[in-house]
Amino acid sequence: FTYDWSIDKCVEAGFKPIDERQIGVFAQDVQGVIPEAVKPAPFDTKDGNSISGDNYLTVQYEKIVPLLIECIKELKDEIEILKK
């Protein structure tokens, strides 16, 4: 999905966003498949608790990339088999 930062929510949570359109995935969706790639958002966490009470999550995309590479390899192999 694409999104623009909600400035009001960012100010409320003490987060200074990058002023540009973002592209992402829903942390909750990723958490259901790869929980190791999701963690509490640093801007909303203090002493292990949510500052805002909304329990914002963030995706660690670098932990997803190796799995995506392996998936591409597997799909390539399947495509080659289907072509034959």
Side-chain angles (χ1 to χ4, degrees):
F1 65 91
T2 59
Y3 63 95
D4 295 307
W5 294 108
S6 169
I7 301 302
D8 293 340
K9 286 275 191 183
C10 290
V11 169
E12 181 181 313
F15 173 63
K16 294 183 181 186
I18 297 171
D19 187 20
E20 62 183 49
R21 180 156 272 236
Q22 299 292 307
I23 299 171
V25 294
F26 290 107
Q28 291 81 355
D29 290 347
V30 174
Q31 191 175 37
V33 181
I34 314 166
E36 301 85 358
V38 177
K39 66 178 186 175
F43 70 87
D44 186 43
T45 305
K46 184 174 182 180
D47 300 326
N49 298 310
S50 173
I51 296 167
S52 68
D54 289 324
N55 297 305
Y56 290 107
L57 298 173
T58 188
V59 175
Q60 296 175 294
Y61 288 92
E62 68 276 8
K63 290 187 176 184
I64 297 174
V65 172
L67 298 174
L68 294 174
I69 292 169
E70 287 304 311
C71 288
I72 291 169
K73 288 180 185 177
E74 287 180 22
L75 286 172
K76 183 178 180 261
D77 291 345
E78 285 185 35
I79 290 169
E80 290 302 319
I81 290 169
L82 290 170
K83 281 183 176 179
K84 291 177 184 176

